[in-house]
Amino acid sequence: MTRLSSYFLPTEREPPADAEALSHKLMVRAGLIRQVGAGLWSWLPAGWRVHQRVVQIVREEMNAIGGHEMLMPVLQPAELWRRSGRYGIEELFKLKDRREADLVLAMTHEEVVTTHVAAAVKSYRDLPLILYHFQVKERDEPRPRAGVLRTREFIMKDSYTFDRDAETLEVSYQKHVIAYDRMMDRCGLEWYRVEADVGMMGGTGAHEYMAPCPAGENHVVLAGGYAANLEVASGEPQPVALEPALDAPEVVPTPGMTTIEAVATELGLPHGALLKAFPIVLDGDEMRLVMLRGDHRVNEIKLRTALGTDFRPAHPDEVTARLGPPGYIGPVGAQMPILLDDGVATGGYVTGANQPDAHLRGVEPGRDFRFERVDVRAVMPGDTINGATIRIEPAIEVGNIFKLGTRYSKPLGATYLDDAGHEQLIWMGCYGFGPARAAAAAVEQYADEAGISWPQAIAPFDVELVTLGKAGTEERAFADGLYGELQELGLEVLYDERDAGPGEKFIDAELLGCPLRVTIGRRTLGAGEVEVQLRRGRETTSVLIEDAAEEIAALWREQP
RNA sequence: CGGGGCGUAGCGCAGCCUGGUUAGCGCGCAAGCUUUGGGUGCUUGAGGUCCCCGGUUCGAAUCCGGGCGCCCCGACCA
């Protein structure tokens, strides 16, 4: 029974003062979620219905590829995480029990699931396996934000695959591609499957499922058939006009000009005719000088991948000691390996001279300094990929799929005996999906001035039935009957029979955003009609009262 | 980790700079009348540890110190 007069749906006229993202504002205003603390949210009844609908879609698609649902604990012994080498992760919540034993609140479940599989799986005959669960995940986020988009505690579907080798892992991975494509479609989202960073811990391939929307924290790069996270995207830069070649580098005085902007303006050159020097210090304390075009920016994730190790930008005193005054450093004469970005074409460039108040012009890579080629720049609007101009869109990462390889099976001892009786490591994959993010993305993608407009499959209710008549009126009697009939047809109905004005009811209904709003008023009823508003587009139509329920159900089935 | 901002009724805010009776406003809430197809109008009313602790002062929402909490931007995000 979901009669609004006795339901818990606290709507607000105004959004919370500190809300920024559209989904944050609307989900609070519509009475779907409430904040408990930074990055900690309660799901109120209507919001939880949305969440559960997403969960059910995900569950059905996981089962369809042979997944087996299970459940693993959030609270876990620290020992497991020490063994996998993840105990040091800053985002991992750590705590002690009363006996001072170290415990963690799990952020994912690779350690536990791998331990179970390691203990139980003996033979190649036991593989492959797809295991999954929905569970609360805990992450000590440096900065929770945007309502339910980035929280410290959230429910995630995690699945894990166990295979004999890289080849069969690929099969399990492709099954997930199919399942995830369907999940995103069924949730009614606009989405892209993009190439993703595999991270420092290895892994042999990864994709992310991105839902484009303004509040997205990630950026997807799109060009023709190409789709990648900005973190890994590569492209061809727009060409830049260089100065005429010189026989040898030539010093130009540039007093006080320590920025690309200042030097380019002084010399009347485009930013791209300069080379930017980015000095870094590797984990082992060695220095490197990364050179890229003046109008380009370093993509630190690509750089980290290219280096194969972590790094930090060099401190000013390190720069002064090893190269020259910050703002004037360059590759010529630098006593350290130089990494030259792929975006730098051959030709003469302006670079720092490694001495105060001076730059060099006519510097040619190769002739004037030795280098190693790397692809470490962030692509930018105007770049092309296979001839197609890229565009960059903000997006929410709703899901990700990842080939782990033997990252966890090795430290946790997950092996099997192959058909020749030899012990082999199990090849794993992991696959995450965030229902809360799917819901928030849907809010972002389809909201209008009046509020949320849910995709049909994940709306809190299929129909919001609004009666304008008070108890005892003919309209109310008709609406009561229609409420029952719609439910008998299998529709989930929210029945607004509150003693409130029509304006208030309409505004609340449109804020909540169920696909159909059915209005029973004296005027339309007298005309033998029932009014139906299609929330997407807010157009109104009407059906005859004789078979109103069936007609409404038919309309509902047509909704996006 | 760096920068900025906020904390006063359920929600949104004013008051603070320049200390001084019962701390205000809008919305919401309760009651009555009114209205009944787009937050109707009027009347009455309830509702507050002014984030917490300490200090200054005759007197602190207001000034000072410390703490806690929350938001935004950037960094970070296995």
Side-chain angles (χ1 to χ4, degrees):
Chain A
M1 292 293 278
T2 32
R3 291 171 180 266
L4 202 40
S5 64
S6 55
Y7 196 54
F8 187 57
L9 188 71
T11 56
E12 296 290 343
R13 193 181 290 239
E14 297 185 65
D18 50 24
E20 198 67 26
L22 186 60
S23 56
H24 181 184
K25 291 178 182 172
L26 288 176
M27 290 175 81
V28 171
R29 283 190 57 209
L32 305 178
I33 57 173
R34 282 294 184 271
Q35 184 166 23
V36 176
L40 301 171
W41 290 84
S42 293
W43 290 80
L44 306 189
W48 187 240
R49 292 178 68 99
V50 173
H51 194 284
Q52 292 293 70
R53 278 194 158 178
V54 176
V55 162
Q56 187 54 28
I57 288 169
V58 172
R59 176 177 287 129
E60 287 169 13
E61 294 305 330
M62 287 309 301
N63 291 344
I65 60 168
H68 305 298
E69 186 169 356
M70 59 187 293
L71 185 67
M72 293 173 276
V74 180
L75 187 61
Q76 302 178 2
E79 173 55 24
L80 274 177
W81 291 69
R82 292 205 175 94
R83 277 209 271 159
S84 69
R86 293 211 295 175
Y87 190 64
I89 294 176
E90 279 192 73
E91 283 73 28
L92 183 65
F93 276 109
K94 292 141 185 130
L95 67 160
K96 287 180 188 293
D97 66 14
R98 64 174 74 200
R99 291 177 312 191
E100 294 289 300
D102 290 322
L103 297 166
V104 306
L105 295 175
M107 47 199 295
T108 58
H109 285 71
E110 281 84 355
E111 283 79 2
V112 170
V113 74
T114 306
T115 299
H116 293 316
V117 168
V121 167
K122 312 286 184 206
S123 156
Y124 71 95
R125 297 170 196 272
D126 300 326
L127 301 174
L129 274 175
I130 300 178
L131 302 174
Y132 76 97
H133 75 346
F134 293 91
Q135 180 58 292
V136 166
K137 311 282 169 170
E138 307 280 351
R139 293 189 188 176
D140 194 356
E141 286 287 345
R143 184 153 99 81
R145 61 177 289 273
V148 112
L149 235 43
R150 186 168 207 84
T151 56
R152 293 194 290 178
E153 175 175 289
F154 56 97
I155 291 174
M156 186 158 86
K157 186 284 296 177
D158 258 331
S159 49
Y160 302 97
T161 58
F162 300 87
D163 280 285
R164 299 176 192 179
D165 50 37
E167 230 166 277
T168 48
L169 165 58
E170 184 61 30
V171 174
S172 295
Y173 191 82
Q174 287 309 322
K175 284 184 178 176
H176 278 80
V177 169
I178 291 167
Y180 272 56
D181 285 3
R182 288 185 51 86
M183 289 173 201
M184 298 298 282
D185 278 340
R186 287 186 61 189
C187 285
L189 296 169
E190 278 182 57
W191 57 276
Y192 304 112
R193 180 178 63 240
V194 307
E195 293 174 26
D197 182 37
V198 294
M200 286 286 295
M201 297 309 273
T204 51
H207 288 87
E208 289 164 338
Y209 282 78
M210 295 287 196
C213 67
E217 307 186 275
N218 286 272
H219 292 271
V220 295
V221 176
L222 305 162
Y226 181 88
N229 193 312
L230 181 62
E231 294 174 352
V232 300
S234 295
E236 296 293 319
Q238 285 188 312
V240 66
L242 299 175
E243 284 193 296
L246 299 177
D247 289 338
E250 172 185 307
V251 176
V252 299
T254 50
M257 296 167 211
T258 59
T259 62
I260 295 284
E261 172 72 40
V263 176
T265 305
E266 167 72 10
L267 301 179
L269 293 171
H271 292 195
L274 280 63
L275 287 186
K276 177 189 285 183
F278 185 56
I280 57 171
V281 177
L282 306 187
D283 253 359
D285 255 18
E286 292 175 54
M287 262 180 99
R288 296 280 188 279
L289 192 61
V290 180
M291 300 300 306
L292 65 169
R293 235 168 68 176
D295 57 335
H296 291 159
R297 290 194 55 191
V298 171
N299 177 330
E300 298 199 4
I301 292 168
K302 284 172 70 174
L303 176 53
R304 199 162 282 131
T305 305
L307 293 168
T309 173
D310 209 355
F311 71 94
R312 59 171 172 83
H315 301 312
D317 52 316
E318 292 169 319
V319 174
T320 308
R322 296 285 309 274
L323 292 161
Y328 294 99
I329 61 174
V332 179
Q335 297 302 306
M336 64 184 65
I338 291 167
L339 306 175
L340 185 68
D341 181 67
D342 284 345
V344 179
T346 52
Y349 291 86
V350 173
T351 75
N354 289 324
Q355 49 181 286
D357 298 330
H359 279 73
L360 299 176
R361 72 197 318 163
V363 172
E364 292 188 16
R367 185 192 68 187
D368 300 322
F369 63 93
R370 293 172 54 180
F371 62 84
E372 183 187 335
R373 278 288 185 182
V374 290
D375 175 17
V376 298
R377 78 183 182 93
V379 298
M380 51 196 275
D383 290 355
T384 58
I385 294 171
N386 298 326
T389 303
I390 66 163
R391 65 177 200 283
I392 301 178
E393 291 183 21
I396 298 176
E397 180 189 350
V398 173
N400 68 284
I401 57 178
F402 195 99
K403 294 178 205 168
L404 287 168
T406 58
R407 163 72 184 84
Y408 292 93
S409 52
K410 199 168 184 179
L412 298 169
T415 62
Y416 66 96
L417 293 183
D418 66 19
D419 55 6
H422 296 130
E423 187 173 51
Q424 303 286 353
L425 284 172
I426 294 176
W427 283 64
M428 293 175 55
C430 68
Y431 316 83
F433 190 100
R437 283 190 172 180
V443 171
E444 297 270 342
Q445 289 184 347
Y446 301 112
D448 59 22
E449 325 76 59
I452 302 171
S453 174
W454 291 106
Q456 186 234 43
I458 64 172
F461 296 90
D462 301 321
V463 176
E464 180 153 349
L465 175 62
V466 175
T467 172
L468 302 181
K470 285 189 165 180
T473 61
E474 192 187 334
E475 304 93 89
R476 173 64 71 89
F478 182 84
D480 284 351
L482 185 58
Y483 178 45
E485 288 174 42
L486 290 171
Q487 287 181 309
E488 277 166 32
L489 290 174
L491 293 176
E492 299 277 353
V493 184
L494 178 61
Y495 183 19
D496 187 355
E497 27 67 287
R498 293 175 300 171
D499 181 17
E504 189 176 346
K505 292 186 174 189
F506 294 152
I507 283 167
D508 273 353
E510 285 161 26
L511 177 60
L512 183 60
C514 298
L516 300 181
R517 186 191 80 204
V518 174
T519 309
I520 310 299
R522 190 191 305 161
R523 206 172 68 197
T524 46
L525 204 58
E529 293 177 341
V530 169
E531 177 188 303
V532 182
Q533 186 206 49
L534 314 179
R535 181 59 186 83
R536 191 68 58 86
R538 283 204 284 168
E539 285 193 18
T540 297
T541 180
S542 56
V543 299
L544 296 177
I545 56 172
E546 284 72 36
D547 47 10
E550 282 80 6
E551 293 289 322
I552 291 165
L555 274 173
W556 175 75
R557 279 181 232 111
E558 295 169 10
Q559 295 311 299

